[in-house]
Each structure stands twice: as structure tokens, then as C-alpha cells.
Amino acid sequence: MQQKGRRSRAAVPALAGNARMARQAERRGAILAAALEEFAASGFAATRLDDVARRAGVAKGTIYLYFNDKEHLFQELVRAELSPIVGAVATPQMAQLPPQAIAEIIADIFVREIFGTRRKDVIRLVITEGARFPKLAEFYYHEVIERVMTALRPILTRAVERGELPNDALARFPQLLVAPALVALVWNSMFDRFAPLDVRDLMRAHLDLLFGERTSSGKSARNSPRNSL
Amino acid sequence: MQQKGRRSRAAVPALAGNARMARQAERRGAILAAALEEFAASGFAATRLDDVARRAGVAKGTIYLYFNDKEHLFQELVRAELSPIVGAVATPQMAQLPPQAIAEIIADIFVREIFGTRRKDVIRLVITEGARFPKLAEFYYHEVIERVMTALRPILTRAVERGELPNDALARFPQLLVAPALVALVWNSMFDRFAPLDVRDLMRAHLDLLFGERTSSGKSARNSPRNSL
Amino acid sequence: MQQKGRRSRAAVPALAGNARMARQAERRGAILAAALEEFAASGFAATRLDDVARRAGVAKGTIYLYFNDKEHLFQELVRAELSPIVGAVATPQMAQLPPQAIAEIIADIFVREIFGTRRKDVIRLVITEGARFPKLAEFYYHEVIERVMTALRPILTRAVERGELPNDALARFPQLLVAPALVALVWNSMFDRFAPLDVRDLMRAHLDLLFGERTSSGKSARNSPRNSL
Amino acid sequence: MQQKGRRSRAAVPALAGNARMARQAERRGAILAAALEEFAASGFAATRLDDVARRAGVAKGTIYLYFNDKEHLFQELVRAELSPIVGAVATPQMAQLPPQAIAEIIADIFVREIFGTRRKDVIRLVITEGARFPKLAEFYYHEVIERVMTALRPILTRAVERGELPNDALARFPQLLVAPALVALVWNSMFDRFAPLDVRDLMRAHLDLLFGERTSSGKSARNSPRNSL
DNA sequence: TATGAATGAGGATTCATTCAT
DNA sequence: GATGAATGAATCCTCATTCAT
């Protein structure tokens, strides 16, 4: 009935020395890494904290020293993994480049910084669990989507005005620039065993589609000086 | 997911009369419809058969008369909803049309037959749960993806050969044709409350991007005789 | 994060037949009886529903078919046991009797209906857990205390006016009439092994104290025609 | 309650200097004070040593330097708080006074030394947890109950012989002398919010009941020279 | 067939106690 | 002595599945 107001556990325990601090960060990291693996493999609901603890090499109770509960663990996981990357896409220098160069940079970042790392799994988790975690969707929208969109739109709009783009489709829907990345993420987790998809090639083809390249045909394109994907 | 020794039960109870048969189909349908709502709202793991039963207006045990277990219910659900649509995309007549017309038809089908119906939720479920349900992914791959790809690839390849397409990107990666549809599905379930996305416009812009349309700007495009989306 | 509104479980499952109904009542009763024993023996916090289930001869989950949770089980237990007795003390007929007769009746009820039954444990539970269960205290106050007080006060006040009582102490504090009952309950659960206390004698002595009886000395008093305790 | 093999630890850590000794006593006191507050608020089982430590301003582990475990802490708490008071009631001088004076002194002690202090909470804890802590009940019985009874009985018996009391009820059941105090303790913790109870008035009324006072009526009685409660 | 009460394995969370620093 | 991070046993509660009616 009446509960003593459960004081929210410190997200990070108070530290004393410095070795302590390092140890703490290490443990927290281990838990997050283990959680990522488990959540990615089983989804939020089906993941057992028992397994996370085992994989992280800590006791079940230890998780609760670092995270309030399963849900907080999940959300912090997404935050921790995604926060760093946000800045990369939205650098002011990009504004100076032609749209094609920007598209190539974005594709490159996706391939190397997301698809090539465990961030791939984090974003997949956002996609698969986002609808059930409004806060997560909100965080992702404001921290990632909105920022990227805000950075891209004026650049693309200007490109349209300068005649660097055939029409305003991209300026109105910057999402179209990254749609193939989404396809890659989903395909990779579901259909790769039936028909492996080379993300690099997919992204390159996407760029060809948007920015002309009249030739291309798989391997040969790799020699093209145009992109370094 | 993990199955214990479960003796397989008849998927459909034995029938006698004809009214009985109708009643059976009706019940089965009610359960599937209820299941779709619940699974779509909560995901596979978090959905309670109790809720499905209540929504379907049957007793919990009745579900087990029509489906072996929760997992079978889920998979049959996807099968039942998606089987009908598969044929539509892969009609032989389409082979005769120019790629732009085909793309428009596909976009149109997506907007009207998927996004405008509860199939939207089914496909979303495939996306969010597919990685955890190999059988589901397999079914979806063979029944939907593969068929569509098989139908599209030769058409697009021929179009490339005829010079109707600027390069072979689409022929190599027909996925690029439907990538925006995936974006729409995901966006709609997660970010619509922050920034609603008009699927029709998105698909139209996508077509503009692929097939030229040098002008366009939202509403005005709607009068364009090109597409009927 | 977001929880599907947990619909409160039916306190009593819907019934169909009549044997069902009987069976239900029986089970519910068995659980309540088992719960009383366990709660009485260990207190609310230290009681395990596992033990309650075992003692009641049902599965753990079954408890939740009849009660929302541990707390509801506890409260319903008190309600179920106490509700019947309330009426007994506050009968209108009592208003006609002289205060001494009333006191004797109350003492008698206490000895036979409470102390001699498992209601003794229920009231003890109210005493030991009441402070931690405001709702329980409230229920007990309104259903028992208040009713008894409301019934007694006017009677005692009138008795004072009629000169049947030496002063208004009892009228102002009817609690003094039942104080020894409280002593008996507490003593019985804690000190009986050191010095057993005969409740009957205690109550009789209490009455002697209040209403004169100039002699008395344990056993002999039992022959007194005055009370039938 | 149930103990596992626990090697008994020094109840008080070894001391060296004198400041150290003071510091120790201070800490021990702080822990006991904190424990009292927490136990009083939540009961034994629901109290967390974490909260006790926080309130005492020490680390959780520190509690274990001063007390073997939660149970010992609880018992020492009761001991520490009650030991001082025991002597007060059982002074030899009292033997000379008339029963009414003694009753008044006892009532006075209760109101001022128990009800007006945190000892109220300690006794309440004995009442609510005693049944679950045989050792505690035993301690309380021997250190408090028995002593008081031993001191009172001969006095009351003599008073009966001298005809200072109308009958031997009180001599046989000295508990009747303190029953209202128990009522006050219980009422205060459970029903005060519904109907506040003035302990002083209650005790006074009780004395009136026992020793005659033919008039009285609330406030006015306070001017009565008879008692100084 | 249909029901829904009953089951019990499963999993999140808590907290007394330990022990390395 | 003190600390507080770590442990893991303990326990509440859920829900897929079964089965007597």
C-alpha cells in the first residue's frame, strides 16, 4: 500500500579513489556491452538481466548499482552509443560542399561508423523497440533525426536553388538520402542468410541513382575515383 | 521461440456441418484480427494471449484450438495477411511497362494496399520481430521479397539495356525502389507525433528523384498527370 | 516505461455452474485461512505467498486469481473475518440494559467470539500491522471502533445521567471498557509462556473493578450468579 | 530470525585512546537512534539497513562493526532504550504510598517518560514485533513486566488487606492498572487521524474510574488538585 | 467444441551481509 | 576502524499452457 518513497538509486555510485573510478567505468561499460549483445539478440522483453549479468561477469544485483532497472539500462545503452555520433553528421563545414559530396560523406559515415560497428545493433534496437518506448523514440528523434534533418535541409535547399539538384525532392524529404541505410540495417538482420547484401555497394548504387553516374556495374565501379566508400 | 516437447495439435478443428465451418472460420478470423492489434501494439513478447482472447471475444483456451501456441499464432497471422498481396506486385503484365510506370504502380500499391490498411502493422511486425523469428523471416523472404525481386530484376535489367534507365543501380538493387516505403513505415510508428510524414508525398518525391520530374513542389505536383498516387 | 493499463483482476472469478461456485468459495476460503495462519505467525512482510499457497493446497498463481496481490489478500482477510462480528456489539437491544450488563455482554463476546476464535489473530494483526497499513486502520476504525463507540457512548452517557455510573469517565472514554481485552491479546501472544493469563478471569476482574463486587477471589467468583463468562 | 552460521563478531570494536572511545559511543548512539526511527516507521522486516545507515550518517558496513546483524541491532535498541526506565517504576519508596498515589505516579510516568518521548515508539515496537522475537519478548517480560508486577503486587495486596481497595481485582491483575496506557499507544499510532486521543485525559479518567472521583468532566478536571498529570 | 480456473516455471527486483581497499 | 561496491539468495508477480467440465 504505502511505499516509502524509493529514493532513486545513484546512476553512478559515488567514487572515492581513482582506481575506483576507473573500475566503475569499466564495470558500467561491461554491463552496457553485455546488455547490447543481449538486447540485440533477443529484444528488450525477452532479454534476461541474468544473462546480461553473466555476460558482463557481474552479479545480478550489480546491474542495479549502475542502472535503475531494465528499462533504464536499455535507454542508457542507446544514449551512450548514439550520443557520440550525432555531431559527426552535422558539422558546419559540410555546408560548403556540393550535395553529392555530402551524400557521399553521409554514406561513408554510415558504412564505417554505424554498419561497421555495434552501433548498427543499437540503431536496429531503436527501430524494433522504438514504438514501444516513446521516450526512446523521442530521444532518438531529437538527438539524431532532428539534428541531421536540420543540418541537411538548408544545404539541400540551397543546392536546389543553385540548380545543383534536378528538383526539390531531396530538399523536401532528406529522409530519401538515408532510406537505403535503413534497408541495409533491416535486410542485414533478416535476409542476409538468404541473399547477402553488400552495404557499400548498395550505398554506392544509391548515390549513382541520385547523382548520375551513367555507367557502373559492381566491381568496376570500385575503381571509380569518385567515391572512397 | 524455444519449444518444449509439444504434441502438435490440429491447426483447424474437425468440422461437421457447414454452418460450423463458417463459424470456425469466423472465430479463427476474430482471433487473428485481435492478435494483430495486440501484437502490433505490444510486440510479440509483451503481448498476452489473455488480451488477445478478450479482444477476440473468446476464451483463452479457444486460441489453442486454432493455433498450436503463441508463436504459431504470430506466424500464421503474418502469413494470412501477407499471402494475398504477394501476387499483386508480381503480375506478368507489368513486364511490358516502362520502369517509371512500374515504380509508380508499386508506390501506389504500397500507399493504398499496405500503408492504408492494417497490413502496415503486419509488415512492421515483420521488421521488428523478424530477426527473432527465423521462420518468419524466411517466409517473408521467400513469399514477398524474393518474388518481388524476381519479378523486378529482369524488367529493370531490360530497361537498362534499352537505355531507359541512366545506370544499372536499380537493376542491381531493386531494394532502392522500395527503400522509402520502409522509411515511411518506421517513421510513422515512431516519429509521427514529432513530425508527421505524408507517405504519398514521400513516395512521389522518391519517384521524382528517380525519374526526372524537374519541377515539383508539394501540392502542385498532385495535378501532374504522371501519377495517380 | 509505458505499461498497458493493467486491468484489475476480478476479485472473484466469473462463475458458470453451481458446483463451480461452491468450489470457488471453498478455494477462496482455503487461501484466506492459510493466509491468516501465515500472517499471524510471521507478520505481513515476512510471510511468503509461497507458504500461503502450500498451506492452502493451491499453486502460487492461484492466489492471484482470487486476490490482486499480497496486500489485497491481507486486507480482504481482515475484512472477511471482522465484518461479521461488527453487528453483534452494536445491537439496538443493548441500549435498554444497565451499563454493567452491557459491559458483561461485551466481555463475554470478546472472550467467546474473539479470543476463542481465530479472530483473535486477525485483531492482533490489525494491532501489529495497522500503523503500516493506513487503509487497514481506516477500515478497522470505521467498521469496528467507530461503530462500537457510537453504540456505547449514548448508553453510557445516559447511565451517567441516571446516576448508574459513579462518574463520566466511561462515557468520555468508552475505550476504558475494552482496554483489558487489548491487554489480553498482547499478553497472550508474548508473555503466556512466562505467565499464562486467563482472559476470562481478567475480564471478570475488570468488571469487578468497574462495577463494585466487593468480594471475589479467583475461583470462588466463578460461582457468582452475576456473570456467565 | 532464522540464523545461519554467523561467526559472532565483537559487539564493540576494540578501543585505543579515549577520544576514540567517545567517538565509538557516539556512533553507536547515532546508529541506534537512526534504527529506532526507521524501525518505528516501517517495522522490523520492512526496514532497510541502508536507510538506517544513511540516517545515522555512517556507511552500511559500519553498522556491522557495532552490531552483529539486523536482529541484534533491533534487540539492542530495545534494551538500550528501556533499561533506564525500568528502575523508575519499581522504587522501594513507592511501597509506602496508598494505591491511588501509586496509580497516579505510574500514569504520570507513562505520560511523561514514555508517551512524551521516543520510548513510546520502542514499546510500540515491542508490541508489534514481540510475537516474532521471542528473545525480545523474554527480555521485555523479565526486565519490564515482571519487575513492575513484582513491585506492584505486594503493594496492592496489602492495600486490599487494609481495605483501601474495594476488591482484589487489581491485586490479582495489576495489568488492569496499565491497560489504558496500552490503549493509548495503539490508538495513537492508528486512529489519531480519525479521532485524536488525549492520553493525559484518558489516564485521568482511568484513575477516576478506579478511585472514585464522583464528578469530573474534561477540562475542569485539570484544576482538580488530586492529580498533576 | 468451448471454457476459464489452475498451474508453475520464469524473471525482475530487493536487501542483508561480506570484504577489498 | 570505515567504507560502500558487490554479491546472490529470496520473493513477488506474470502469463503461456493445460485440462476438467
Side-chain angles (χ1 to χ4, degrees):
Chain A
M1 199 151 286
Q2 84 283 34
Q3 293 296 17
K4 302 187 63 177
R6 213 157 289 314
R7 51 229 130 326
S8 75
R9 247 178 301 271
V12 178
L15 330 167
N18 202 283
R20 255 231 230 294
M21 227 177 116
R23 192 172 148 72
Q24 305 251 341
E26 195 186 326
R27 285 223 144 170
R28 194 185 147 92
I31 293 171
L32 283 173
L36 174 48
E37 301 248 347
E38 295 292 333
F39 281 135
S42 318
F44 177 80
T47 287
R48 285 172 306 213
L49 290 194
D50 236 352
D51 292 340
V52 173
R54 192 172 310 118
R55 187 187 283 272
V58 303
K60 223 180 325 170
T62 303
I63 294 177
Y64 290 86
L65 291 177
Y66 293 86
F67 305 93
N68 271 313
D69 58 20
K70 194 181 176 183
E71 233 173 83
H72 277 80
L73 169 59
F74 183 58
Q75 309 223 24
E76 296 244 356
L77 168 64
V78 175
R79 255 162 243 254
E81 293 290 331
L82 256 29
S83 289
I85 210 184
V86 174
V89 183
T91 47
Q93 307 91 296
M94 290 219 306
Q96 313 311 327
L97 303 173
Q100 179 169 351
I102 289 173
E104 283 170 9
I105 288 173
I106 288 178
D108 189 53
I109 287 177
F110 174 72
V111 171
R112 290 192 294 100
E113 297 297 323
I114 293 179
F115 211 86
T117 70
R118 65 186 199 181
R119 280 200 202 93
K120 168 181 59 182
D121 295 315
V122 177
I123 294 189
R124 235 186 243 142
L125 277 171
V126 173
I127 294 169
T128 56
E129 307 288 347
R132 243 86 68 207
F133 287 85
K135 272 197 215 153
L136 182 60
E138 187 175 354
F139 166 80
Y140 192 73
Y141 180 74
H142 290 306
E143 298 299 314
V144 182
I145 305 290
E146 202 174 38
R147 289 205 201 178
V148 174
M149 300 277 279
T150 303
L152 290 180
R153 218 187 293 266
I155 299 176
L156 295 166
T157 301
R158 207 166 331 120
V160 172
E161 291 162 0
R162 287 181 192 161
E164 293 170 2
L165 285 172
N167 58 44
D168 63 356
L170 270 185
R172 289 172 56 226
F173 295 102
Q175 293 99 329
L176 294 173
L177 208 52
V178 289
L182 188 58
V183 167
L185 281 174
V186 172
W187 187 285
N188 178 255
S189 71
M190 289 180 60
F191 309 132
D192 243 28
R193 58 192 160 128
F194 307 118
L197 182 67
D198 187 303
V199 208
R200 213 175 285 264
D201 279 353
L202 175 73
M203 297 309 288
R204 224 184 267 134
H206 174 52
L207 294 176
D208 290 349
L209 211 50
L210 296 188
F211 302 104
E213 195 76 359
R214 303 282 139 177
T215 53
S216 108
S217 75
K219 300 300 162 193
S220 71
R222 197 161 290 162
N223 301 320
S224 150
R226 176 176 51 70
N227 76 59
S228 61
L229 282 181
Chain B
M1 264 144 208
Q2 72 281 49
Q3 297 295 67
K4 299 167 202 162
R6 200 177 319 303
R7 50 225 141 319
S8 83
R9 224 192 295 234
V12 177
L15 330 166
N18 204 284
R20 190 169 295 213
M21 238 178 101
R23 188 173 150 74
Q24 303 246 337
E26 194 186 326
R27 286 219 144 175
R28 196 185 143 92
I31 292 171
L32 284 173
L36 173 50
E37 301 250 349
E38 295 291 334
F39 282 135
S42 316
F44 177 81
T47 287
R48 278 166 298 188
L49 291 192
D50 236 346
D51 293 340
V52 173
R54 191 172 308 119
R55 188 187 283 272
V58 303
K60 215 181 337 172
T62 305
I63 295 177
Y64 288 85
L65 293 175
Y66 293 87
F67 305 93
N68 267 315
D69 58 21
K70 193 183 178 185
E71 211 173 305
H72 279 80
L73 168 60
F74 183 58
Q75 309 221 25
E76 297 244 358
L77 166 65
V78 175
R79 256 165 245 255
E81 292 291 330
L82 294 185
S83 290
I85 209 185
V86 175
V89 183
T91 47
Q93 309 89 294
M94 289 220 305
Q96 315 310 326
L97 303 172
Q100 180 169 351
I102 290 174
E104 282 171 8
I105 288 173
I106 287 178
D108 189 53
I109 288 177
F110 174 72
V111 170
R112 290 193 293 100
E113 297 297 325
I114 293 178
F115 211 87
T117 71
R118 67 186 197 179
R119 280 200 200 93
K120 169 180 60 182
D121 296 316
V122 177
I123 294 189
R124 234 187 243 145
L125 277 172
V126 173
I127 293 170
T128 57
E129 307 288 347
R132 243 85 68 204
F133 287 86
K135 274 195 221 153
L136 182 61
E138 188 175 354
F139 166 80
Y140 191 75
Y141 180 75
H142 290 306
E143 298 299 314
V144 182
I145 304 290
E146 203 174 38
R147 289 206 202 177
V148 173
M149 300 278 279
T150 303
L152 289 181
R153 216 186 297 266
I155 300 177
L156 293 167
T157 302
R158 207 167 329 120
V160 172
E161 290 162 1
R162 288 181 190 160
E164 294 171 2
L165 284 174
N167 56 43
D168 62 356
L170 269 185
R172 289 170 57 225
F173 295 103
Q175 292 98 329
L176 294 173
L177 208 51
V178 289
L182 188 58
V183 167
L185 281 174
V186 172
W187 186 286
N188 178 254
S189 71
M190 289 180 59
F191 309 131
D192 244 27
R193 59 189 161 128
F194 306 117
L197 182 67
D198 187 302
V199 208
R200 214 174 286 264
D201 279 353
L202 175 73
M203 298 308 287
R204 225 184 266 132
H206 174 52
L207 295 175
D208 290 348
L209 211 50
L210 297 187
F211 303 105
E213 191 78 0
R214 303 284 139 176
T215 53
S216 110
S217 76
K219 301 298 163 193
S220 70
R222 199 162 287 163
N223 302 320
S224 151
R226 174 176 51 72
N227 75 61
S228 61
L229 281 182
Chain C
M1 201 151 285
Q2 83 283 35
Q3 294 295 19
K4 302 186 64 175
R6 214 156 288 316
R7 51 226 129 330
S8 76
R9 249 176 299 271
V12 177
L15 331 166
N18 203 285
R20 253 229 232 296
M21 227 176 114
R23 192 172 148 74
Q24 305 253 339
E26 194 186 327
R27 285 223 143 171
R28 194 185 146 92
I31 293 170
L32 282 173
L36 174 48
E37 302 249 347
E38 295 291 333
F39 282 136
S42 317
F44 177 80
T47 288
R48 284 171 308 212
L49 290 193
D50 236 352
D51 292 340
V52 173
R54 192 172 309 119
R55 187 187 285 271
V58 303
K60 223 181 324 170
T62 303
I63 294 177
Y64 290 87
L65 292 176
Y66 293 86
F67 305 93
N68 271 314
D69 58 20
K70 193 181 176 182
E71 233 173 83
H72 278 79
L73 169 59
F74 183 58
Q75 309 222 23
E76 295 245 356
L77 168 64
V78 175
R79 256 163 243 255
E81 293 290 331
L82 256 30
S83 290
I85 209 185
V86 174
V89 184
T91 47
Q93 308 91 294
M94 290 219 307
Q96 314 310 328
L97 303 172
Q100 180 170 350
I102 289 172
E104 283 170 9
I105 289 173
I106 288 179
D108 189 53
I109 288 177
F110 174 72
V111 171
R112 290 193 294 100
E113 298 296 325
I114 293 178
F115 212 85
T117 70
R118 65 185 198 181
R119 280 200 202 93
K120 168 181 59 182
D121 296 315
V122 177
I123 294 189
R124 235 186 243 143
L125 276 172
V126 173
I127 294 168
T128 57
E129 307 288 346
R132 244 84 69 205
F133 287 85
K135 271 197 216 152
L136 183 61
E138 188 175 355
F139 166 80
Y140 191 74
Y141 180 75
H142 290 305
E143 297 300 313
V144 182
I145 304 290
E146 201 174 38
R147 289 207 201 176
V148 174
M149 300 277 280
T150 303
L152 290 181
R153 218 187 295 266
I155 299 177
L156 295 166
T157 302
R158 206 166 331 120
V160 172
E161 290 162 1
R162 288 181 191 160
E164 294 171 2
L165 284 173
N167 57 43
D168 63 357
L170 269 186
R172 288 170 57 226
F173 296 101
Q175 292 100 330
L176 294 173
L177 208 51
V178 289
L182 189 57
V183 166
L185 281 174
V186 172
W187 186 286
N188 178 255
S189 70
M190 288 180 59
F191 309 132
D192 243 28
R193 58 190 161 130
F194 308 118
L197 181 67
D198 187 302
V199 207
R200 212 174 287 264
D201 279 354
L202 175 73
M203 298 308 288
R204 224 184 268 133
H206 174 53
L207 294 175
D208 291 348
L209 211 49
L210 296 187
F211 301 104
E213 194 78 0
R214 302 283 138 177
T215 52
S216 109
S217 75
K219 301 298 162 192
S220 70
R222 199 161 287 161
N223 301 322
S224 152
R226 176 178 50 74
N227 76 60
S228 62
L229 282 182
Chain D
M1 263 143 209
Q2 72 281 51
Q3 297 294 65
K4 298 167 202 163
R6 197 176 323 302
R7 51 224 138 319
S8 84
R9 225 192 296 234
V12 176
L15 330 165
N18 204 285
R20 192 170 294 212
M21 239 177 101
R23 189 172 149 75
Q24 305 246 338
E26 194 186 325
R27 286 217 145 176
R28 196 185 144 92
I31 294 171
L32 284 173
L36 174 48
E37 301 250 348
E38 295 292 333
F39 281 134
S42 316
F44 177 80
T47 287
R48 278 166 299 188
L49 291 193
D50 235 347
D51 293 340
V52 173
R54 191 172 309 118
R55 188 187 282 273
V58 303
K60 216 182 336 171
T62 304
I63 294 177
Y64 287 85
L65 292 175
Y66 292 87
F67 305 92
N68 267 315
D69 58 22
K70 193 182 178 185
E71 211 173 304
H72 278 80
L73 168 60
F74 183 57
Q75 309 222 23
E76 297 243 357
L77 167 65
V78 175
R79 256 164 244 254
E81 292 290 331
L82 293 185
S83 290
I85 210 185
V86 174
V89 183
T91 48
Q93 308 89 295
M94 290 221 305
Q96 313 311 327
L97 303 172
Q100 179 168 351
I102 289 173
E104 283 171 9
I105 289 173
I106 289 179
D108 188 54
I109 288 177
F110 174 72
V111 171
R112 290 193 293 99
E113 297 297 324
I114 294 180
F115 211 87
T117 69
R118 66 186 198 179
R119 280 200 201 92
K120 169 181 59 183
D121 296 315
V122 177
I123 294 188
R124 234 186 243 144
L125 277 172
V126 173
I127 294 168
T128 56
E129 307 288 347
R132 245 86 69 204
F133 288 86
K135 273 195 222 154
L136 183 61
E138 188 175 355
F139 166 80
Y140 192 74
Y141 180 74
H142 290 306
E143 298 300 313
V144 182
I145 305 291
E146 202 173 39
R147 288 206 202 177
V148 174
M149 300 277 280
T150 303
L152 289 180
R153 217 185 296 265
I155 300 177
L156 295 166
T157 302
R158 206 165 332 120
V160 172
E161 290 162 1
R162 287 182 192 160
E164 293 170 3
L165 285 173
N167 57 41
D168 63 356
L170 269 186
R172 289 170 56 226
F173 295 101
Q175 293 98 330
L176 295 173
L177 207 51
V178 289
L182 189 57
V183 167
L185 281 174
V186 172
W187 187 286
N188 177 254
S189 70
M190 289 181 58
F191 309 131
D192 244 27
R193 59 191 161 127
F194 307 118
L197 182 67
D198 187 303
V199 207
R200 213 174 287 264
D201 278 353
L202 175 73
M203 298 309 288
R204 226 185 266 133
H206 175 52
L207 294 175
D208 290 348
L209 212 49
L210 297 187
F211 303 105
E213 193 78 359
R214 304 282 139 177
T215 52
S216 107
S217 77
K219 300 299 163 195
S220 69
R222 198 161 288 161
N223 302 321
S224 152
R226 176 177 50 72
N227 76 60
S228 62
L229 281 182

